[in-house]
Amino acid sequence: MRRKIIAGNWKMNLTLQEAESLADALIKDDFTGNGTEMIVAPPYIYLQWLASKRKTLPNLQVAAQNCSEHNAGAYTGEVSAVMLASLGVNYCITGHSERRSIFGETGTMLAAKVNRLLENKLGPIFCCGETLPQRESKRHKETVKDQLQDGLFHLDALSLEKCILAYEPVWAIGTGVTASPQQAQEMHEFIRSVLSEKYTKEVAGRIPILYGGSVTASNAADLFSCPDVDGALVGGASLKADEFKKILQAMNSKNHA
Ligand code: PEP
């Protein structure tokens, strides 16, 4: 059975006090169950504090939203995978479309980040996805395949299996427009076929592929009904405990392949 995962990306939101009430609400009831894993990605400065909450909620896993492509040195403002590992962080989002488009992250930089994470025993949550013009010009599959090739396909199968993939169509991130379950399934199936070609069908069958892009409590169950959707990377809705809890519950209800 493939892993079922719901990951929340808080992005650059919440004061410490707001983060505390959200974390308290997440910890109060254990939302995980029936095998669903919960990952939360707060801003860097809350990582150590959030990781300490695992004493109360061992099912909570913590992710960074970014890391440097270097392990140490004169890189003012950067945070390395070595540092994240020393805080007990489990995962790191890599290749989020905001990092690609606003901060100019390229496939080469992402491949280096993936390497630093794996060397430090952190799991990359590797994001891929097309823009609206790319979809409208029917280049969505080619775009996603190129992103996988540039950022991930230098890995051997063993290393690839330490990664979580997230298909996040850029036109659906933070827009309130969600991919239809048919669009999501088509792309997840495509990604699995590309993984299968490069590695093996067995390896491709074990990699969790999350959907991301305006997932809410009201559309989660439909998206999770797709056989190749193994969970979600959630932005806006992860800032509301009730909403996030309902998304986790929708994943719990799925009897996965
Ligand atoms: C994201 O930032 O990865 C994301 C999917 O955001 P949202 O759920 O707000 O669209």
Side-chain angles (χ1 to χ4, degrees):
M1 194 174 79
R2 264 198 307 274
R3 293 164 65 192
K4 302 194 289 183
I5 300 166
I6 301 296
N9 176 11
W10 290 359
K11 307 195 187 187
M12 195 179 74
N13 290 302
L14 308 176
T15 62
L16 178 60
Q17 292 70 30
E18 290 163 344
E20 266 164 353
S21 17
L22 178 54
D24 285 346
L26 292 180
I27 282 160
K28 188 156 59 72
D29 311 300
D30 186 349
F31 298 162
T32 58
N34 197 18
T36 304
E37 298 169 46
M38 170 165 77
I39 304 176
V40 176
Y44 281 139
I45 51 169
Y46 306 147
L47 276 168
Q48 187 173 16
W49 156 80
L50 195 67
S52 73
K53 300 279 182 193
R54 279 186 304 224
K55 288 186 208 108
T56 326
L57 185 60
N59 287 342
L60 170 69
Q61 300 185 77
V62 179
Q65 298 174 16
N66 181 33
C67 76
S68 167
E69 61 203 278
H70 307 284
N71 270 335
Y75 301 103
T76 303
E78 290 289 273
V79 172
S80 72
V82 177
M83 296 169 184
L84 297 174
S86 73
L87 298 184
V89 171
N90 314 94
Y91 295 98
C92 179
I93 299 173
T94 321
H96 191 282
S97 70
E98 288 153 17
R99 301 277 340 155
R100 290 178 191 265
S101 66
I102 306 171
F103 300 99
E105 295 194 355
T106 62
T108 313
M109 287 162 78
L110 296 174
K113 289 181 186 216
V114 164
N115 290 344
R116 295 300 83 74
L117 289 167
L118 292 170
E119 284 159 16
N120 288 286
K121 308 213 173 339
L122 279 112
I125 302 176
F126 187 88
C127 304
C128 56
E130 80 285 358
T131 61
L132 193 57
Q134 285 164 336
R135 174 162 281 267
E136 284 173 345
S137 57
K138 306 215 178 324
R139 284 181 294 126
H140 45 299
K141 290 188 176 166
E142 173 195 325
T143 302
V144 166
K145 188 173 180 179
D146 286 349
Q147 290 170 339
L148 296 173
Q149 252 157 6
D150 295 348
L152 279 187
F153 282 3
H154 61 288
L155 299 177
D156 61 20
L158 215 60
S159 301
L160 184 85
E161 290 204 41
K162 303 206 164 63
C163 301
I164 296 170
L165 263 58
Y167 168 61
E168 298 208 304
V170 179
W171 46 271
I173 298 178
T175 57
V177 179
T178 317
S180 67
Q182 293 72 20
Q183 286 171 320
Q185 173 57 25
E186 185 196 23
M187 287 307 286
H188 283 231
E189 203 178 327
F190 170 72
I191 291 169
R192 222 177 283 289
S193 75
V194 173
L195 295 175
S196 186
E197 246 169 58
K198 168 73 186 168
Y199 298 91
T200 61
K201 193 164 181 281
E202 289 68 34
V203 170
R206 287 194 290 267
I207 307 286
I209 309 176
L210 315 184
Y211 168 78
S214 298
V215 175
T216 62
S218 46
N219 59 30
D222 281 350
L223 287 160
F224 299 162
S225 69
C226 303
D228 284 289
V229 174
D230 306 314
L233 178 53
V234 185
S238 72
L239 298 172
K240 298 174 210 136
D242 279 354
E243 191 82 4
F244 197 54
K245 171 183 174 173
K246 287 185 188 142
I247 296 170
L248 276 151
Q249 282 166 339
M251 197 64 210
N252 284 340
S253 312
K254 177 168 182 168
N255 286 319
H256 209 20

